[in-house]
Amino acid sequence: MLRFLLRKISYGILVLLGVVALVFFLFNVLPGDPARLTLGQRADVASLENVRKELHLDKPVAVQFLLYLNDLSPISVHSGEEAERVLHFVPLLHLSGDRLLVLKTPYLRRSYQGKKDVWEMLTEALPGTLVLAVAAILFATVAGIGLGILSAVKKDTWMDTGAVFASVVGISAPSFFMGIVLAYLFGFVLSDYTGLHMTGSLFDYDAFSGRTLTLRNLVLPAVTLGIRPLAIIVQLTRGAMLDVLHQDYIRTAYAKGLPKWAVIFRHALRNALNPVVTAITGWFAELLAGAFFVEYIFGWKGIGKMTVDALEKFDFPVLMGAVLFTAGIFVVINLLADLLYSVIDPRIKL
C-alpha cells in the first residue's frame, strides 16, 4: 500500500512539473513587459531596469524557469536577504556566501498589478469558488437523482423521454453559453419577477450597511455550473435504477407488500448509487477547478474570475499560481479517489 501511495504521489508531482513547464514557456511568449506592468507606463528607464533585475527578467528564459522552480520547491536555495524579504522559512544549511538551504512553503511570487502575494490572493478567492462548486454539485445531485428515479420508474412515458432529452441537451450545451442565456433571461428580462441580477458575488458592499451576504447571487451561477453534472447524474441514475428494478429481491419486496416508495428509495436506490457517487466526486473536483468562464460571466469573485482578469492584464505570477493551484486540486482529488478505491476493492492493492 505504501509503495502504491508513493507511486501515485510521484505521478502527481510529475504532472505538476509538466503543467508548470508548459504554462511557464507558453506565458513567456505573451506580449507585455512585466516591469512596466509593475511600475506603470510613466516609469523611468532606471526603475524599469531595477525591477527587471529583481524579477530575474534580465536572465534567459531557461534560467528564469529554474529560478521559478526554486521558488516553488519546499527545499530550495536563497540568499539570506531574499529569504527574509519574501519567504516564511526554516534555515537548514548555510552555503557559500550568504546563500542558505531553507525549508519553506512554496512561494508563488507577487502580482505585478496589485503587488499582493499570489498565495494570499488564492486563499482569498478560494471560498467563493468553493461555495459555488458545493452549491452547483448539491443542485446537480438532488435534481439529477430525482429526475433519474422518475425517468426509471416512469420508463417509456413522456416523463422518461423529457428527462432523457433534457439530459442530452444539458451535456451538449457549453457552460459559457448556458450562462449567457440564463443571465440574460432570468437576470435581465425577468429580473423584476425573479429578483435576480446578471452579475454579483456572495457578498455585496454598501456604503451604509457595509458587507452583506447575498445568497440570491449564487442561484444563476450555481445552476449554470451544475447543468452538465446534472445531465450525467440523470443518465447514470436512470441506467442503474433500471438494472436494479429488475432484480429478484425487488420483486420479493413487492411480494411482501411493501409500499412502492419504500421499495424504490430503501432498496433499489441504495444499491444503484455506487456509479452515481463516483461521478459526483469526480465532477466536484472539476467544478472546483473549472468554473473560470461561469465566474467571469456572472462577476462571481473566485479563482476563475481572478485568473481571467490576470490573463487580461498579463499578470504572469497570478496566472501561474492559479493554473498550478487548479492542477494541484485535480492531482489531490485523483489521489484520494485512488486510495478510496483501494480501500473499497482489495484487488486494487494487488
Side-chain angles (χ1 to χ4, degrees):
M1 185 64 182
L2 180 60
R3 189 166 55 189
F4 171 79
L5 178 61
L6 292 175
R7 187 170 68 250
K8 289 296 181 180
I9 293 175
S10 300
Y11 291 158
I13 293 174
L14 289 176
V15 169
L16 292 178
L17 285 175
V19 169
V20 170
L22 177 64
V23 177
F24 186 93
F25 290 107
L26 178 63
F27 287 157
N28 263 279
V29 302
L30 291 176
D33 182 0
R36 193 167 291 280
L37 290 173
T38 302
L39 296 177
Q41 296 299 320
R42 297 184 178 180
D44 59 87
V45 176
S47 299
L48 289 173
E49 290 302 322
N50 289 333
V51 171
R52 290 191 182 101
K53 185 176 181 180
E54 179 184 346
L55 299 177
H56 310 297
L57 300 174
D58 57 336
K59 296 179 173 61
V61 175
V63 176
Q64 293 182 41
F65 177 65
L66 293 177
L67 290 171
Y68 189 79
L69 289 182
N70 185 62
D71 286 342
L72 289 180
S73 174
I75 299 178
S76 55
V77 178
H78 292 278
S79 67
E81 180 183 352
E82 180 184 31
E84 290 178 1
R85 182 165 52 87
V86 298
L87 305 172
H88 300 287
F89 69 96
V90 176
L92 297 177
L93 183 65
H94 187 274
L95 304 176
S96 60
D98 65 340
R99 310 297 288 178
L100 298 173
L101 182 68
V102 300
L103 176 66
K104 62 177 177 59
T105 55
Y107 177 52
L108 298 176
R109 300 187 176 179
R110 295 181 181 273
S111 167
Y112 290 154
Q113 295 281 323
K115 313 297 188 297
K116 290 184 65 175
D117 190 282
V118 172
W119 182 255
E120 183 182 344
M121 296 175 65
L122 289 171
T123 54
E124 289 177 357
L126 179 60
T129 298
L130 186 61
V131 168
L132 179 57
V134 170
I137 202 64
L138 284 176
F139 161 70
T141 300
V142 174
I145 291 177
L147 288 174
I149 293 172
L150 181 66
S151 180
V153 173
K154 301 293 183 179
K155 186 176 181 294
D156 296 329
T157 65
W158 67 269
M159 295 182 184
D160 180 29
T161 304
V164 172
F165 176 77
S167 67
V168 172
V169 172
I171 295 172
S172 305
S175 294
F176 66 87
F177 172 75
M178 293 302 298
I180 294 172
V181 172
L182 292 178
Y184 177 74
L185 185 61
F186 295 102
F188 180 72
V189 177
L190 301 176
S191 178
D192 293 338
Y193 305 99
T194 62
L196 304 176
H197 303 294
M198 293 183 68
T199 60
S201 195
L202 187 61
F203 293 96
D204 282 341
Y205 296 88
D206 185 81
F208 299 100
S209 57
R211 190 187 189 202
T212 57
L213 181 66
T214 313
L215 289 177
R216 65 180 178 181
N217 291 338
L218 180 62
V219 175
L220 291 179
V223 170
T224 301
L225 198 60
I227 286 177
R228 289 180 66 104
L230 184 151
I232 298 293
I233 292 171
V234 167
Q235 295 199 2
L236 285 176
T237 305
R238 179 182 182 274
M241 285 291 292
L242 288 176
D243 290 338
V244 170
L245 288 174
H246 292 91
Q247 299 294 325
D248 291 338
Y249 71 90
I250 298 296
R251 286 191 287 269
T252 302
Y254 278 121
K256 288 181 178 180
L258 293 177
K260 187 174 183 179
W261 68 267
V263 174
I264 292 173
F265 289 97
R266 191 178 300 170
H267 297 280
L269 181 60
R270 290 180 62 183
N271 292 281
L273 280 181
N274 285 340
V276 179
V277 171
T278 302
I280 290 171
T281 56
W283 270 102
F284 179 70
E286 184 165 338
L287 295 182
L288 190 61
F292 293 92
F293 292 109
V294 173
E295 288 184 6
Y296 187 74
I297 289 170
F298 290 99
W300 184 266
K301 293 180 180 178
I303 292 177
K305 186 176 185 299
M306 184 186 74
T307 305
V308 177
D309 289 341
L311 183 60
E312 288 182 339
K313 300 172 183 176
F314 304 112
D315 200 336
F316 174 72
V318 178
L319 284 170
M320 284 294 299
V323 172
L324 185 60
F325 185 81
T326 302
I329 289 176
F330 275 106
V331 169
V332 171
I333 294 293
N334 287 332
L335 176 61
L336 294 177
D338 288 336
L339 292 176
L340 182 61
Y341 293 149
S342 67
V343 173
I344 295 174
D345 189 352
R347 293 174 298 177
I348 294 178
K349 295 180 182 179
L350 303 178

